[in-house]
Amino acid sequence: MSRFLSPALSTVTPYTPGEQPQDQQYIKLNTNESPYLPSPRVVAAVSEAEVEKLRLYSDPACAQLLRTAAAHFGLQPSQVMPGNGSDENLFFALRAFCDENHPLAFADITYGCYGVWCGLLHIPTHIIPLKEDFTLDPADYHGLHETIVIANPNAPTGLCLPRDAIEGILQSNPDSVVIVDEAYVDFGGESCVPLIDQYDNLLVVQTFSKSRQLAGARLGLAMGSAALIADLNRVKFSLNPYNINRLTLKAGQAALEDTAYFDKTRAAIMDTRAWTMQQLTDRGFTVLDSRANFVFASTERISGGILYKKLKENGILVRHFDAPRIENWLRITIGTPEQMQALMDAVDKILEV
Ligand SMILES: *Cc1c(COP(=O)(O)O)cnc(C)c1O
């Protein structure tokens, strides 16, 4: 760091993203991307004509995408805001609803960025441990009177809360915003979007990175009451009004419109997930009941850190978190059936010696 860095920033520990090797020689099961190509409609939408329009700024209101998204989710356009990935929407929400005197409550084992953003924004954290079996007890979140963020399904566990559990949390915190991060909801979770008209303190965040094959385009949607969305826009228009680029606006719209492709690809992932869970269980792994496009697994037969390293030597990248309570676990993204067969072959090879 330079001698000019502000002391406040020097204490922030940035998030470490999963490895993104640029030579593509690995079977990549480490960052929960889709193994499938974007919809053919996306490829057609990102046309040469649109590339030529890159000389012009994108629409700061994202009006066309908003209309499509609102219709898709049964909301008004005023209840939706696109972001540059859901990371940006989550950051905007923390900037809007928390500060030095208004903490953020979240689980000890969940998406790592929540804590990082609190550091960057000087937001005190209220960290609530998951139970021994990694389930979340909704009662721990009742009557907190603090902004809350819950990843549902959670990462990296893949475990999911039913909608009425979230509803109880919303009801018992009527004066606080409850952010539900639904990055993985399309793989078998229960979305809270249908609760938006009932609860003015609910903000739902979804992403195109996991279930719509657009991780590299950077697109997410925040959905909530028109007043909450206006607050997020206040932050956006104070920072970066053109936060979504033209190609991503087109790609996102096309991906939303191709519901058949969306359903086909997420069904494929859920089938492959069931197969993968069974295969791992057969080999003596403990596997949590995942509703996401990854599984979280551990075994007494080998430590998580060593298995991660040996899989990498065998050309397979998975995610290992060197963090308390989960150092012995691996988070494995669901790829194609062929990729998961290769994973099992590598596991057998590693465990036999
Ligand atoms: C992947 C992920 C995000 C970030 O998604 P982007 O839209 O790619 O920024 C947010 N929350 C959780 C829980 C995630 O797993």
Side-chain angles (χ1 to χ4, degrees):
M1 72 182 69
S2 81
R3 62 198 167 92
F4 307 107
L5 186 69
S6 95
L9 204 63
S10 65
T11 59
V12 171
T13 310
Y15 181 72
T16 310
E19 298 155 86
Q20 295 290 354
Q22 294 303 310
D23 46 14
Q24 292 292 324
Q25 58 178 328
Y26 289 98
I27 293 181
K28 224 178 143 298
L29 307 177
N30 68 330
T31 49
N32 299 343
E33 293 137 329
S34 174
Y36 300 112
L37 292 173
S39 150
R41 286 212 209 174
V42 168
V43 179
V46 182
S47 61
E48 195 173 328
E50 200 56 34
V51 172
E52 286 175 352
K53 282 195 205 143
L54 283 176
R55 71 185 181 83
L56 302 171
Y57 282 111
S58 58
D59 173 16
C62 309
Q64 224 184 337
L65 175 66
L66 276 191
R67 274 197 298 275
T68 304
H72 182 86
F73 289 100
L75 299 168
Q76 299 299 316
S78 59
Q79 294 173 298
V80 186
M81 186 171 109
N84 191 307
S86 58
D87 280 346
E88 188 184 61
N89 277 333
L90 289 161
F91 183 85
F92 286 172
L94 267 51
R95 183 67 187 79
F97 306 121
C98 302
D99 60 30
E100 281 87 343
N101 303 311
H102 295 91
L104 181 70
F106 55 93
D108 63 336
I109 299 167
T110 189
Y111 186 42
C113 282
Y114 306 146
V116 174
W117 293 322
C118 286
L120 190 58
L121 294 169
H122 307 160
I123 297 167
T125 58
H126 175 191
I127 300 201
I128 303 175
L130 297 177
K131 291 195 285 190
E132 192 62 34
D133 62 359
F134 300 130
T135 58
L136 182 151
D137 185 352
D140 291 342
Y141 293 77
H142 284 181
L144 288 186
H145 308 294
E146 292 167 344
T147 304
I148 293 167
V149 61
I150 296 177
N152 192 41
N154 196 13
T157 64
L159 298 175
C160 171
L161 287 173
R163 186 188 294 136
D164 51 3
I166 303 273
E167 191 164 9
I169 295 170
L170 287 162
Q171 284 167 348
S172 71
N173 293 280
D175 299 320
S176 303
V177 176
V178 177
I179 305 164
V180 184
D181 182 349
E182 295 189 348
Y184 300 104
V185 76
D186 299 322
F187 303 105
E190 218 179 347
S191 177
C192 285
V193 167
L195 300 178
I196 284 174
D197 282 329
Q198 251 170 294
Y199 295 96
D200 68 351
N201 58 332
L202 168 62
L203 188 73
V204 178
V205 175
Q206 292 194 3
T207 173
F208 287 61
S209 297
K210 314 291 167 48
S211 56
R212 295 183 195 274
Q213 295 84 24
L214 288 178
R218 313 303 303 127
L219 186 63
L221 295 174
M223 296 174 272
S225 70
L228 285 186
I229 296 303
D231 294 343
L232 296 185
N233 271 304
R234 197 179 173 87
V235 181
K236 160 179 159 158
F237 283 94
S238 305
L239 178 73
N240 184 8
Y242 309 105
N243 59 337
I244 319 283
N245 74 71
R246 282 180 169 276
L247 302 182
T248 294
L249 286 173
K250 287 284 184 198
Q253 173 155 351
L256 267 182
E257 285 167 351
D258 198 347
T259 53
Y261 189 79
F262 168 70
D263 286 335
K264 189 175 88 176
T265 47
R266 67 196 183 110
I269 295 291
M270 289 187 275
D271 281 352
T272 310
R273 178 181 70 202
W275 182 86
T276 304
M277 288 173 69
Q278 186 61 54
Q279 294 288 315
L280 287 169
T281 307
D282 289 349
R283 288 163 175 79
F285 281 77
T286 303
V287 188
L288 299 188
D289 179 21
S290 172
R291 300 298 168 88
N293 67 337
F294 56 82
V295 293
F296 200 50
S298 77
T299 173
E300 304 278 292
R301 298 173 67 190
I302 187 169
S303 87
I306 293 177
L307 181 54
Y308 158 79
K309 263 199 219 111
K310 292 198 180 251
L311 284 171
K312 189 170 176 184
E313 286 163 17
N314 281 274
I316 299 176
L317 275 183
V318 300
R319 193 83 202 259
H320 174 249
F321 298 94
D322 205 1
R325 297 183 68 187
I326 56 170
E327 60 277 285
N328 218 21
W329 292 73
L330 293 182
R331 191 196 69 190
I332 305 168
T333 304
I334 302 300
T336 61
E338 296 73 26
Q339 290 177 319
M340 302 324 276
Q341 183 63 60
L343 169 77
M344 294 310 156
D345 294 346
V347 165
D348 286 340
K349 185 175 147 200
I350 292 162
L351 289 183
E352 246 151 39
V353 286

Coordinates of all heavy atoms in Angstrom, one line a residue, residues 31-32 84-88 90 111 114 117 151 153 155 181 183-184 206-210 215 218-220 294 331, ligand 1:
T31 N -16.7 -21.2 -8.8 CA -17.3 -19.9 -8.6 C -18.8 -19.9 -9.0 O -19.4 -18.8 -9.2 CB -16.6 -18.8 -9.3 OG1 -16.3 -19.2 -10.7 CG2 -15.2 -18.5 -8.7
N32 N -19.4 -21.1 -9.0 CA -20.9 -21.2 -9.2 C -21.4 -20.5 -10.5 O -22.6 -20.1 -10.5 CB -21.6 -20.6 -8.0 CG -21.2 -21.4 -6.7 OD1 -20.7 -22.5 -6.8 ND2 -21.5 -20.8 -5.6
N84 N -25.1 -3.5 -11.4 CA -23.9 -4.0 -12.1 C -23.5 -5.3 -11.2 O -22.6 -5.3 -10.4 CB -22.8 -3.0 -12.1 CG -21.6 -3.4 -13.0 OD1 -21.1 -4.5 -12.8 ND2 -21.3 -2.6 -13.9
G85 N -24.2 -6.4 -11.4 CA -24.1 -7.5 -10.6 C -24.9 -7.3 -9.3 O -25.2 -6.1 -9.0
S86 N -25.4 -8.4 -8.7 CA -26.1 -8.1 -7.4 C -25.2 -7.6 -6.4 O -25.6 -7.0 -5.4 CB -26.9 -9.3 -7.0 OG -26.0 -10.4 -6.8
D87 N -23.9 -7.8 -6.5 CA -22.9 -7.2 -5.6 C -23.1 -5.7 -5.5 O -23.1 -5.1 -4.4 CB -21.5 -7.4 -6.1 CG -21.0 -8.8 -5.7 OD1 -21.6 -9.5 -4.9 OD2 -19.9 -9.2 -6.2
E88 N -23.3 -5.0 -6.7 CA -23.5 -3.6 -6.6 C -24.8 -3.2 -5.9 O -24.9 -2.3 -5.1 CB -23.5 -3.0 -8.0 CG -23.5 -1.5 -8.0 CD -23.6 -0.9 -9.4 OE1 -24.6 -1.1 -10.1 OE2 -22.6 -0.1 -9.7
L90 N -26.4 -4.9 -3.6 CA -26.2 -5.2 -2.2 C -25.4 -4.0 -1.5 O -25.7 -3.5 -0.4 CB -25.5 -6.5 -1.9 CG -26.4 -7.8 -2.3 CD1 -25.5 -9.0 -2.5 CD2 -27.4 -8.0 -1.1
Y111 N -22.2 -15.4 2.7 CA -21.5 -14.7 1.6 C -20.5 -13.7 2.2 O -20.9 -12.8 2.9 CB -22.5 -14.0 0.7 CG -21.9 -13.4 -0.6 CD1 -20.9 -14.1 -1.3 CD2 -22.3 -12.2 -1.0 CE1 -20.4 -13.6 -2.5 CE2 -21.8 -11.6 -2.2 CZ -20.9 -12.3 -2.9 OH -20.3 -11.8 -4.1
Y114 N -20.5 -9.5 2.5 CA -21.3 -8.7 3.5 C -20.4 -8.0 4.5 O -20.4 -6.8 4.7 CB -22.4 -9.5 4.2 CG -23.3 -10.3 3.3 CD1 -23.8 -11.5 3.8 CD2 -23.7 -9.8 2.1 CE1 -24.7 -12.2 3.0 CE2 -24.6 -10.5 1.3 CZ -25.1 -11.7 1.8 OH -26.0 -12.5 1.0
W117 N -18.0 -5.3 2.9 CA -18.6 -4.0 2.6 C -18.8 -3.2 3.9 O -18.7 -2.0 3.9 CB -20.0 -4.2 1.9 CG -19.8 -4.7 0.5 CD1 -18.8 -4.4 -0.4 CD2 -20.6 -5.7 -0.2 NE1 -19.0 -5.1 -1.6 CE2 -20.1 -5.9 -1.5 CE3 -21.8 -6.4 0.2 CZ2 -20.7 -6.8 -2.4 CZ3 -22.3 -7.3 -0.7 CH2 -21.8 -7.5 -2.0
A151 N -28.8 -14.7 3.0 CA -28.7 -15.3 1.7 C -29.6 -16.5 1.7 O -29.4 -17.4 2.6 CB -27.2 -15.7 1.4
P153 N -31.3 -19.4 -0.9 CA -30.5 -20.3 -0.2 C -29.1 -19.7 0.2 O -28.7 -18.8 -0.4 CB -30.2 -21.5 -1.2 CG -31.3 -21.4 -2.1 CD -31.7 -20.0 -2.2
A155 N -25.1 -19.4 1.0 CA -23.8 -19.8 0.5 C -22.8 -19.7 1.6 O -22.9 -18.8 2.4 CB -23.4 -18.9 -0.7
D181 N -31.0 -12.2 -0.1 CA -30.1 -12.4 -1.3 C -30.4 -13.7 -1.9 O -30.1 -14.8 -1.4 CB -28.7 -12.3 -0.8 CG -27.6 -12.5 -1.9 OD1 -28.0 -12.8 -3.0 OD2 -26.4 -12.2 -1.6
A183 N -29.5 -15.2 -4.7 CA -28.6 -15.5 -5.8 C -28.8 -16.9 -6.4 O -28.6 -17.2 -7.6 CB -27.1 -15.4 -5.4
Y184 N -29.3 -17.8 -5.5 CA -29.4 -19.2 -5.9 C -30.8 -19.7 -5.9 O -31.1 -20.9 -6.0 CB -28.6 -20.1 -4.9 CG -27.1 -19.7 -5.0 CD1 -26.5 -19.0 -3.9 CD2 -26.3 -20.1 -6.1 CE1 -25.2 -18.6 -4.0 CE2 -25.0 -19.7 -6.1 CZ -24.4 -19.0 -5.1 OH -23.1 -18.6 -5.2
Q206 N -31.6 -10.5 -6.7 CA -31.3 -11.6 -7.5 C -30.2 -11.3 -8.5 O -29.9 -10.1 -8.8 CB -32.6 -12.1 -8.3 CG -33.7 -12.7 -7.4 CD -34.7 -13.4 -8.1 OE1 -34.7 -13.6 -9.3 NE2 -35.7 -13.9 -7.3
T207 N -29.6 -12.3 -9.1 CA -28.5 -12.1 -10.1 C -28.7 -12.9 -11.3 O -29.4 -14.0 -11.3 CB -27.2 -12.5 -9.4 OG1 -26.1 -12.4 -10.4 CG2 -27.2 -13.9 -8.9
F208 N -28.1 -12.4 -12.4 CA -28.1 -13.2 -13.7 C -26.8 -14.1 -13.8 O -26.6 -14.7 -14.8 CB -28.1 -12.2 -14.9 CG -29.5 -11.6 -15.1 CD1 -30.0 -10.8 -14.1 CD2 -30.2 -11.8 -16.3 CE1 -31.3 -10.2 -14.3 CE2 -31.4 -11.2 -16.5 CZ -32.0 -10.4 -15.5
S209 N -26.0 -14.1 -12.7 CA -24.7 -14.7 -12.8 C -24.8 -16.3 -12.6 O -24.0 -17.0 -13.2 CB -23.8 -14.2 -11.7 OG -23.5 -12.9 -11.9
K210 N -25.8 -16.8 -11.9 CA -25.8 -18.2 -11.5 C -26.7 -19.0 -12.4 O -26.4 -20.0 -12.9 CB -26.1 -18.3 -10.0 CG -25.3 -17.4 -9.1 CD -23.9 -17.6 -9.0 CE -23.0 -16.6 -8.4 NZ -23.3 -16.0 -7.1
A215 N -22.6 -14.4 -15.8 CA -21.7 -13.9 -14.8 C -20.8 -12.8 -15.3 O -20.6 -11.8 -14.6 CB -20.9 -15.0 -14.2
R218 N -22.3 -9.0 -15.8 CA -22.5 -8.2 -14.5 C -23.9 -7.6 -14.5 O -24.2 -6.5 -15.0 CB -21.5 -7.1 -14.4 CG -20.0 -7.6 -14.5 CD -19.6 -8.7 -13.6 NE -19.9 -8.4 -12.2 CZ -20.6 -9.2 -11.4 NH1 -21.1 -10.3 -11.8 NH2 -20.7 -8.9 -10.1
L219 N -24.9 -8.4 -14.1 CA -26.3 -7.9 -14.0 C -27.0 -8.5 -12.8 O -27.0 -9.7 -12.6 CB -27.0 -8.2 -15.3 CG -28.4 -7.5 -15.4 CD1 -28.4 -6.0 -15.3 CD2 -29.1 -8.0 -16.6
G220 N -27.6 -7.7 -12.0 CA -28.5 -8.2 -10.9 C -29.7 -7.3 -10.9 O -29.8 -6.3 -11.5
F294 N -24.6 -25.6 -6.3 CA -23.3 -26.2 -5.8 C -23.7 -27.1 -4.7 O -24.9 -27.1 -4.2 CB -22.4 -25.1 -5.2 CG -23.1 -24.2 -4.2 CD1 -23.1 -24.6 -2.8 CD2 -23.7 -23.0 -4.5 CE1 -23.8 -23.8 -1.9 CE2 -24.3 -22.2 -3.6 CZ -24.3 -22.6 -2.2
R331 N -16.9 -26.5 -1.3 CA -18.0 -26.1 -2.0 C -17.8 -26.4 -3.5 O -16.8 -25.9 -4.1 CB -18.3 -24.6 -1.9 CG -19.6 -24.1 -2.4 CD -19.7 -22.6 -2.6 NE -18.9 -22.2 -3.7 CZ -18.6 -20.9 -3.9 NH1 -19.1 -20.0 -3.2 NH2 -17.8 -20.6 -4.9
Ligands
LIG1 C1 -22.6 -14.8 -6.6 C2 -23.3 -14.2 -5.4 C3 -23.5 -12.8 -5.4 C4 -23.0 -11.9 -6.5 O1 -23.6 -12.0 -7.7 P1 -23.2 -11.0 -8.9 O2 -24.5 -10.7 -9.5 O3 -22.3 -11.8 -9.8 O4 -22.5 -9.8 -8.3 C5 -24.2 -12.3 -4.4 N1 -24.7 -13.0 -3.3 C6 -24.4 -14.3 -3.3 C7 -24.9 -15.1 -2.1 C8 -23.7 -14.9 -4.3 O5 -23.4 -16.2 -4.3

